[in-house]
Amino acid sequence: MRILVLGGTSFVGRSIVTKALDRDHDVTLFHRGRTGTDLFPGAERLRGDRDENDLSALEGRSFDAVVDVSGTVPRHVRHAAEVLDERVGRYLFLSSNTVYASGAGPGADESAPLVAPEWDSEVVGARTRGPLKVACERELTSRFGERATIVRPGVLAGPHDNLDQFTYWVRRAAKGGRVVLPGDPGQPLQVLDARDLAHLVVRLLEEDRSGVFNAMGPAAPLTLAGMIHTCAAAAGTGVELILVPSGTVKARFPLVRPDRIREQFFQRDTTRAREAGLPSTPLSTTAADVLAWDRGRGEPPLRSAPAPELERNLLDYVLRSRPSLAARTPPGPTVTDRHAL
Ligand SMILES: NC(=O)c1ccc[n+]([C@@H]2O[C@H](COP(=O)([O-])OP(=O)(O)OC[C@H]3O[C@@H](n4cnc5c(N)ncnc54)[C@H](OP(=O)(O)O)[C@@H]3O)[C@@H](O)[C@H]2O)c1
């Protein structure tokens, strides 16, 4: 297939391009040329800026399918859909689970209520990200109808992750010892390997499937504590979770969401995507690959990490209030039990 990827040079899109090339598809990348300029030498590369409505490089070009990874505001999608129009077979838009309104319970599927679309602002932030994606989805389906496919991932992880949420826990667990967790260790969690998402996206294109697909992982239920212990096991270390009531810490630790614990936020139904071919790489594999990648790039500062002094201060506080805990030796090479405040 001739596949146009709008984006494709950072993390999620990069995984999709890698998978499409592995499957022998002809891939054309469209981006501004700021990231990943040395990647994919075998792929055609077109330059343009969606923020500036500069899509002239796409005019007159035809593709079997387009994968839109870089559309964040409805104008991006409207403009791309207008320029490509009938010269593209299928338009797959990478949306997000932020489109869902809160309230639906665990196990909600793609029919769960959405937040109201945002049409007036193009400022992408915590409050507008979901509403803007809903508007993007509406732009696409109103123009492309059955030729539209929408994929809604939750948290994604893997090598080249540019948000670092899972990477933070991989790195932290690999250090072993006492790990501060300001949240509920039993909090449900969904983390999908970006390579699994890429597999699903390419499969949906190959099978020319329309519709909406939740894309979360892993296949088996996961908790925060389970994730951290899996990361430690992948690194061959031992961790002891030191639980701190979430209300005592203002800063948010990556993936710790006490506010979402009783919702579908990390418990969405993925049956449609699984039936469509979403694989389930074991979390231990994702953790091991992220660890190797992170070490290979020299462990730079992470976007999502809490300040190291915050972790140290929290730990000191717990140890001061629990002398019996302080007297014990922190874990060595094996995973040990957990201690609540
Ligand atoms: N990471 C997650 O956990 C997660 C979860 C849910 C959904 N998502 C979705 O994944 C997508 C982002 O993933 P990613 O950043 O890893 O994707 P990516 O496709 O790997 O990287 C973003 C691409 O967009 C291009 N780009 C950015 N601004 C542009 C512009 N104004 N005009 C043209 N091209 C532009 C960038 O290249 P240049 O900089 O060279 O232009 C780059 O190729 C978003 O749609 C997001 O909602 C991510």
Side-chain angles (χ1 to χ4, degrees):
M1 295 176 76
R2 287 164 305 141
I3 301 175
L4 169 68
V5 179
L6 302 178
T9 57
S10 182
F11 170 46
V12 183
R14 178 179 182 156
S15 300
I16 294 169
V17 173
T18 302
K19 185 71 193 177
L21 291 172
D22 283 355
R23 298 274 304 158
D24 282 335
H25 297 300
D26 276 341
V27 178
T28 298
L29 302 171
F30 175 90
H31 66 123
R32 293 167 302 183
R34 295 189 191 172
T35 53
T37 45
D38 54 340
L39 295 173
F40 310 122
E44 184 189 17
R45 204 175 279 267
L46 303 174
R47 293 282 159 84
D49 188 336
R50 305 182 80 180
D51 290 334
E52 302 296 326
N53 288 338
D54 173 17
L55 298 183
S56 53
L58 299 178
E59 281 166 12
R61 298 293 307 267
S62 302
F63 300 93
D64 297 310
V66 54
V67 179
D68 186 349
V69 201
S70 54
T72 49
V73 300
R75 177 174 56 91
H76 288 160
V77 177
R78 189 183 321 130
H79 199 196
E82 276 168 7
V83 170
L84 294 165
D85 199 19
E86 293 296 326
R87 286 179 293 96
V88 66
R90 177 157 299 284
Y91 193 129
L92 186 150
F93 179 66
L94 202 75
S95 186
S96 149
N97 71 343
T98 56
V99 296
Y100 290 113
S102 58
D109 65 13
E110 290 83 351
S111 64
L114 305 184
V115 294
E118 171 63 68
W119 299 104
D120 299 331
S121 165
E122 292 199 338
V123 179
V124 184
R127 278 217 309 273
T128 55
R129 189 170 286 114
L132 285 166
K133 283 284 195 188
V134 175
C136 290
E137 291 189 3
R138 299 243 169 116
E139 280 289 353
L140 178 60
T141 47
S142 71
R143 267 171 197 281
F144 271 66
E146 279 298 299
R147 292 189 295 134
T149 308
I150 291 167
V151 177
R152 295 175 179 156
V155 174
L156 296 164
H160 311 291
D161 186 352
N162 50 16
L163 295 183
D164 288 331
Q165 299 190 90
F166 182 69
T167 308
Y168 165 75
W169 288 111
V170 167
R171 194 187 283 185
R172 183 62 198 84
K175 291 194 180 107
R178 290 176 170 136
V179 175
V180 170
L181 179 59
D184 181 343
Q187 176 201 304
L189 197 58
Q190 288 182 311
V191 177
L192 180 70
D193 193 307
R195 295 164 295 191
D196 290 347
L197 174 79
H199 183 103
L200 172 71
V201 164
V202 174
R203 181 97 173 254
L204 291 171
L205 298 184
E206 289 172 347
E207 296 183 355
D208 198 27
R209 292 192 57 166
S210 54
V212 184
F213 298 84
N214 281 343
M216 289 90 192
L222 179 70
T223 61
L224 256 183
M227 174 197 64
I228 298 168
H229 286 308
T230 300
C231 291
T237 57
V239 292
E240 181 180 27
L241 297 189
I242 304 294
L243 306 184
V244 181
S246 53
T248 55
V249 187
K250 272 212 186 108
R252 190 181 276 177
F253 276 51
L255 304 178
V256 178
R257 296 300 301 265
D259 53 324
R260 301 293 193 123
I261 210 153
R262 269 180 278 283
E263 287 186 24
Q264 88 284 29
F265 191 68
F266 280 129
Q267 300 179 80
R268 291 191 209 284
D269 181 83
T270 57
T271 306
R272 285 201 80 200
R274 299 269 164 221
E275 286 174 359
L278 178 65
S280 47
T281 296
L283 193 68
S284 53
T285 304
T286 309
D289 292 350
V290 167
L291 182 64
W293 160 73
D294 190 38
R295 285 179 171 164
R297 67 178 180 155
E299 302 191 2
L302 295 177
R303 253 179 98 160
S304 300
E309 57 273 21
L310 173 64
E311 291 183 72
R312 267 198 310 276
N313 291 344
L314 279 172
L315 189 57
D316 287 350
Y317 165 69
V318 174
L319 294 181
R320 272 201 312 277
S321 59
R322 298 266 317 258
S324 60
L325 181 59
R328 278 212 311 275
T329 314
T334 52
V335 175
T336 62
D337 58 344
R338 310 189 289 257
H339 299 272
L341 250 184

